[in-house]
Amino acid sequence: MSNPFSQEDGPQPPKLLKAPVEIVANLRLLQQNHDPLIITFEGRNQRFQSYVIEVDRDKQRLILDELIPRDGERFLQNGEAFKVEAFHDGVRVAWQCDHEVRISEHEGARCYISPLPDEVLYHQRRNAFRAPLKQADLIKVSLASDKLRDTYNGQLLDISATGCKLRFPGNISEALQAGQVYERFTAHLPFGALTTPIELRHVQYEDKLDITFAGARFYRMAGNEQRLVERFVYQLQREARRFESDGLF
């Protein structure tokens, strides 16, 4: 059995993606996982946040959510070029937009429509392979601690040998604190429950979805729990590679 955490899954040199199928696939990952976009305009220091709302390959267009803060919209109206940067599972995804962006509405909310990028920079920087879970197969999790008033139940979005991404219904961002260690994190994996302390790395509440997203690092994990995680990640990695080899992705 090959080691799923071998060097081939470690940091890789940047790649410039030019094939439309690769570009669309990576943009859709950002959309499906609601990964925030960092937008900067040339010659300006201010940074803005947005999200991918829709990737339309047939119409060759990309729909972005309203800029935060909103005053960045005036730069779009001026036709200024901008750079977009996002991070998904330890991968930096970035592209440049030199085209005119159309301001519109999507499902009653402000949005911006631009052509699909001709090329996207793809740079895997995480040492450990991080395996995303399919929407239909999300794992139930719970977070409890002497530092918390309640036990919070949510779902596991992805997992690696060193950490995981979580989501919880509602706004619990004020109850959780980045940098804090919580003693009792439990994930109900297919072949047994994993219980281990975690260190919270970041917390973000999305009011449009009414969901709190959190990133965590496993903290002083025992050997049995580490093997349980490695087994699960290896299983997900093997399924992903089989999926790709079948030509479905």
Side-chain angles (χ1 to χ4, degrees), residues 12-236:
Q12 304 291 325
K15 299 178 184 177
L16 195 59
L17 307 180
K18 295 187 176 182
V21 64
E22 289 184 310
I23 291 172
V24 167
N26 280 279
L27 294 178
R28 282 182 176 158
L29 277 177
L30 299 180
Q31 175 193 356
Q32 291 162 4
N33 289 275
H34 205 63
D35 295 311
L37 310 180
I38 302 166
I39 293 180
T40 54
F41 292 87
E42 289 186 2
R44 302 185 184 276
N45 294 326
Q46 192 172 4
R47 294 151 63 95
F48 301 90
Q49 182 174 288
S50 183
Y51 296 89
V52 177
I53 293 178
E54 185 177 303
V55 183
D56 191 331
R57 186 178 178 185
D58 294 333
K59 295 182 179 179
Q60 288 293 298
R61 70 179 190 178
L62 180 65
I63 303 181
L64 303 180
D65 199 4
E66 180 179 10
L67 288 182
I68 305 170
R70 173 76 175 272
D71 59 3
E73 190 173 289
R74 68 181 186 273
F75 304 138
L76 294 178
Q77 292 172 327
N78 293 340
E80 296 184 27
F82 59 90
K83 293 180 180 179
V84 184
E85 181 182 51
F87 294 89
H88 177 76
D89 296 345
V91 176
R92 177 177 178 261
V93 180
W95 67 95
Q96 172 98 11
C97 181
D98 298 314
H99 304 282
E100 184 177 344
V101 173
R102 182 162 60 90
I103 299 173
S104 183
E105 284 197 355
H106 179 80
E107 296 181 355
R110 196 81 158 177
C111 74
Y112 315 113
I113 301 174
S114 75
L116 286 175
D118 297 322
E119 54 187 34
V120 167
L121 185 70
Y122 177 99
H123 188 194
Q124 180 175 316
R125 307 193 298 183
R126 176 179 278 121
N127 285 316
F129 173 84
R130 177 157 286 193
L133 280 79
K134 297 176 184 176
Q135 191 69 24
D137 300 328
L138 297 183
I139 299 294
K140 292 181 179 180
V141 302
S142 64
L143 184 61
S145 169
D146 296 339
K147 307 176 184 73
L148 297 173
R149 286 175 140 189
D150 301 304
T151 297
Y152 297 105
N153 298 308
Q155 293 174 309
L156 181 72
L157 297 180
D158 65 34
I159 186 170
S160 76
T162 57
C164 57
K165 184 175 180 181
L166 313 167
R167 78 177 185 193
F168 299 91
N171 184 2
I172 64 169
S173 60
E174 294 184 1
L176 302 179
Q177 182 179 345
Q180 185 67 260
V181 174
Y182 297 103
E183 308 93 294
R184 295 183 296 280
F185 167 75
T186 301
H188 298 278
L189 305 182
F191 32 72
L194 163 75
T195 300
T196 182
I198 59 170
E199 178 187 356
L200 215 60
R201 305 309 295 269
H202 64 83
V203 183
Q204 182 173 347
Y205 173 65
E206 296 298 335
D207 56 354
K208 291 184 178 180
L209 301 173
D210 194 28
I211 289 174
T212 300
F213 293 93
R217 181 175 70 88
F218 297 128
Y219 185 80
R220 296 181 181 175
M221 184 182 286
N224 288 340
E225 283 70 28
Q226 183 69 56
R227 286 188 288 274
L228 198 64
V229 168
E230 291 180 1
R231 177 184 172 189
F232 185 50
V233 173
Y234 179 76
Q235 175 182 313
L236 293 173

Side-chain angles (χ1 to χ4, degrees), residues 129-132 134 233-249:
F129 173 84
R130 177 157 286 193
K134 297 176 184 176
V233 173
Y234 179 76
Q235 175 182 313
L236 293 173
Q237 184 183 26
R238 186 175 55 188
E239 289 175 358
R241 287 177 172 168
R242 184 188 305 127
F243 187 68
E244 291 176 5
S245 66
D246 288 342
L248 299 175
F249 183 73

